[in-house]
Amino acid sequence: MKYNLSSVTSSTDSNLIVLPVFSDKESLKFSSAWDKTLREFFLGLPLSENFKASSGQNVFFNSIDGNHFLALGLGEKSKFKAENLRREMATLASSQKNKLRSMTLNLESLKTGDLEKTLNAIVEGIELSLYIFDKHLSKKSETKLKEINLDSKEKSAGIKKLQKALDNTIHITESISIARDFVNSPPNVLNSETYAKAVKKDVSKINNVSVKIHGKKELQKMRAGLFLSVNAASAFEPQMVQLTYTPKKMTKKTKHVALVGKGLTFDTGGYSLKPGGSMVNMKFDMAGSATVFGAFRAAALLELPVKVTCILGMTDNAVNEHATMPDSIVEGRNGKTVEILNTDAEGRLVLADCLDYACDLEPDAIIDAATLTGACLMAVGSETCAVMGNDDKLVGSLLKSAKNASEYMWQLPIIPEFHEDMKSSVADLKNIGGSRFGGTAKAAAFLENFIKNDISWAHLDIAGIGDSQGHLPYCPKKGASGLIVRSLVDYLKNA
Ligand code: BES
Ligand code: ZN
Ligand code: ZN
């Protein structure tokens, strides 16, 4: 999409000029995009008679001089927040994408917070809603909508600032699209090896980023037994991808954040095989890695003043005669032994070694993201991200960032009883708890055993929120949501 930022009102024949209207109690509240003549003309149209400006109520009309207008109802002004704007713009873009070539929006007339925030919500809504995954369709869809004119009263200095905000938003939405593409890719195309290669290729164009890929030999050398046990039956090498973004100006005060992601390119469950119905869509089991990668990529493109390491643990969880058998006892990179009672609780095994490796890099904080437990959907619903950790300050910062990004996140407790439940009588730990209850936080309790030196750590379970969020107009009806990338970028901005 092409965005034209300008301080003069633009209009062309195929253009639609969007005129927001708010509703306050009984009366219509015309935004600054309307001038007096237009308002009077509109109110004289029979079409406007039943127009209450409630959200979703739209009236298209033509002026005498042939311009096309849309009176866009947005509901009560006092209730209109950035997230409302994001959703309204997504709905508008989706409904008009095959009808129009261009659209004109006035920034002041849609103001929520400052103008940069307004622009950010508009562009996110439009960009995220226009995403399509048509790589494997023989017939690609072409969107007619190609240009958005963003008009503003700002003079050139202000426009320059807005241009920067626009560029930054595009870095974020593009990173979300890439993350969605990875998640939507089928397992016969995206395996640990092709995934690692694709990530390496993608970051090769980004400044100040370095890549290291640890394959099977390196993982054996570092005694990452838990990670390797999940890969035992795979046709592909396990890949621990390590990305580093180093900001141009590094000082003693520069924070270092490590992002760790579960990258199961397919989860059959292993010997603890998933039933057919639950196995479908398990290509999505690498969404944690795609999410942290999306945030990492955006942070590097935004040139944030924070060092970011990204560790992606990639493998599939397959079954053959080499597959790890339930009851196996395996030693992790940190020397702790784990009784593997259920080979379907594999994500925590991969993450365990990745987290231990991340600790060795001595970051100020570690945040992992994973589609770790089905129980997460029971606990917080399929629309919410669960957050847990060993440091309430870090968890608090993440909750705040989620709020800033208008994404749902909720904390679950890691209580001593959950730690107790994850102990085994024949090994240091077992990989599943003794009961079905509290599965999400018990998995987090397991992970906490692999955090050392008191490093602040938080775990995000995105088993629900990472998948289809059809209720949001800026998420595809089916497939990866791409959510939580924006929360993480907000966190990194404020780190
Ligand atoms: N990848 C799954 C978790 C999952 C399930 C994500 C459904 C999204 C939707 C994970 O590896 C898994 O299978 N977890 C088990 C853990 C259990 C064996 C303790 C689960 O949730 O059933
Ligand atoms: Zn599993
Ligand atoms: Zn899994």
Side-chain angles (χ1 to χ4, degrees), residues 262 267 269 274 285 317 343-346:
K262 171 178 173 182
D267 180 11
K274 283 184 185 292
D285 215 16
N317 183 22
T343 61
D344 196 12
E346 84 299 336

Side-chain angles (χ1 to χ4, degrees), residues 53 59 108 124 142 163 289 371 451:
V59 175
E108 282 84 6
E124 279 180 355
E142 254 272 17
Q163 184 63 47
S289 62
T371 50
I451 302 297

